[in-house]
Amino acid sequence: MHSPPPKVTELENRCVEDDAERLTQRIRNWQPAAATPASGAAMAGESSTTWTLSNGLPEIRAPQLTAEVLHEAVRSHGALLVRNLLPESLHPDLVRTIDRVTAACEGTKPFTRHYFAPPDALREKMPGGELGRSRAFHRDSGSAMCAEAPSVAESLLELYASLGLKALLTDYLGEAPCLSVKKWVLRKTRLPVHQAGWHQDGAFMGADINSINLWIPLTRCGGDTGAPGMDVVPTRLTEIVAANGALFDWSVSPESVNDHFRETPPVAPVFNAGDALLFDHLFLHRTQYRSDFQRPRYAIETWFFGQSAAPLNQVPVSW
């Protein structure tokens, strides 16, 4: 049985100094494991749960989520959609937290250090302007690295553990999971939404890693809801798709997507607040693009990696 989720409303009762020290040690003390296991998505084993296919994606309810179900869904379709993973009672406070962290990172409003207290380890691990460039990238898109707010980061780790995710991800990855400074992000989309590139995260993180991404929208989004969700190609890929004709060397052009995936064309699923989409570094996706969005979309994105196969360029964080 999972433990009750921590109350996000109690964030400001936390000791920022203690949280910053814990996060600092997670960043400084991360070490790769000695051996590389088989990738979770490639491990054998059949799922005992039958899912529903929605827009070509396997879909289950949160109580059905197991490492075996996740293995099979990623191996066969590239991703798994989990409905109602995050308790509804937490949504308003998490949205408020994202508002405060992104505003504090932008310097537009003064908030307590619970929402902006970047540990020294960030500059140590991201020297020579790298930290500044990452901050500018997130600021321009309305997002923020979770590590900028250690109390938020530590409370989220406690929340994930209370939902049973640490044990599940350990089983899925076949080893202890770790996170990443750069790929642990609090998101609030800016409007109008600019056309983002189709991409597989493995194009810039590396193709030979052991990964799973947890993307949780806190806004009903996607489809015709009026808030941007995610465009996805609902199929399992086993390699990085060529970037011919794309804007960036890590992206894939819309023309290439339309030409190469005619049997599994892109879809824009509808997500409810608190749902979760899980996928690995080979899944092809982008922020949903339309010109008529009226509402921003809030989300938390957390990439997890096996400790022996984490991308060093993303600044691993131990858990």
Side-chain angles (χ1 to χ4, degrees):
M1 181 178 294
H2 300 162
S3 58
K7 295 181 180 179
V8 185
T9 51
E10 297 177 353
L11 182 68
E12 295 190 13
N13 294 331
R14 300 181 67 99
C15 177
V16 178
E17 289 71 23
D18 288 349
D19 286 332
E21 178 60 23
R22 278 190 286 268
L23 183 60
T24 293
Q25 295 307 313
R26 293 185 194 280
I27 297 171
R28 287 178 175 166
N29 294 344
W30 179 85
Q31 294 291 333
T36 303
S39 168
M43 292 174 65
E46 291 298 323
S47 162
S48 59
T49 300
T50 302
W51 51 62
T52 301
L53 278 181
S54 175
N55 283 315
L57 290 177
E59 178 182 319
I60 61 171
R61 311 298 293 182
Q64 297 173 291
L65 178 60
T66 66
E68 291 75 22
V69 171
L70 182 56
H71 283 314
E72 185 62 23
V74 171
R75 182 171 57 188
S76 60
H77 293 81
L80 177 64
L81 175 55
V82 182
R83 297 294 187 184
N84 300 318
L85 179 69
L86 201 64
E88 185 176 358
S89 60
L90 300 180
H91 301 175
D93 293 308
L94 287 169
V95 167
R96 188 179 305 113
T97 295
I98 292 174
D99 271 333
R100 292 179 175 181
V101 173
T102 52
C105 288
E106 292 171 356
T108 56
K109 293 182 180 180
F111 286 105
T112 67
R113 282 171 46 79
H114 295 87
Y115 302 100
F116 187 71
D120 292 339
L122 291 186
R123 197 167 298 279
E124 294 170 9
K125 296 292 185 178
M126 302 170 70
E130 183 181 3
L131 179 57
R133 290 190 295 272
S134 291
R135 284 173 169 166
F137 172 81
H138 286 292
R139 184 172 59 247
D140 291 345
S141 63
S143 59
M145 291 183 291
C146 193
E148 301 274 31
S151 287
V152 176
E154 290 295 319
S155 67
L156 280 178
L157 290 181
E158 292 169 10
L159 172 59
Y160 293 160
S162 77
L163 296 174
L165 292 177
K166 187 171 186 179
L168 179 138
L169 294 170
T170 299
D171 289 344
Y172 176 82
L173 295 168
E175 58 179 327
C178 61
L179 301 87
S180 156
V181 166
K182 293 184 180 180
K183 298 297 289 179
W184 188 9
V185 182
L186 308 176
R187 299 191 180 278
K188 177 186 178 182
T189 54
R190 293 191 186 279
L191 300 178
V193 173
H194 298 293
Q195 188 166 0
W198 285 97
H199 65 281
Q200 298 159 285
D201 286 73
F204 51 85
M205 294 195 305
D208 298 322
I209 58 175
N210 188 12
S211 78
I212 196 72
N213 183 29
L214 174 68
W215 183 79
I216 304 177
L218 298 168
T219 309
R220 180 171 166 80
C221 61
D224 297 319
T225 62
M230 191 181 294
D231 289 329
V232 305
V233 175
T235 190
R236 172 64 179 170
L237 300 177
T238 58
E239 60 185 5
I240 301 299
V241 180
N244 298 336
L247 290 175
F248 308 102
D249 58 5
W250 49 263
S251 64
V252 182
S253 70
E255 295 77 15
S256 180
V257 171
N258 292 333
D259 288 344
H260 289 89
F261 298 101
R262 294 181 180 178
E263 294 186 3
T264 53
V267 296
V270 172
F271 302 95
N272 296 314
D275 289 346
L277 186 65
L278 293 109
F279 55 90
D280 72 2
H281 56 284
L282 295 175
F283 191 60
L284 188 56
H285 63 285
R286 69 174 180 180
T287 298
Q288 186 187 9
Y289 176 69
R290 292 175 54 152
S291 60
D292 60 347
F293 292 122
Q294 301 92 37
R295 297 182 295 113
R297 177 254 289 154
Y298 290 81
I300 301 172
E301 181 170 29
T302 312
W303 278 88
F304 298 93
F305 307 97
Q307 187 128 335
S308 69
L312 300 183
N313 61 356
Q314 302 304 310
V315 189
V317 179
S318 64
W319 186 5

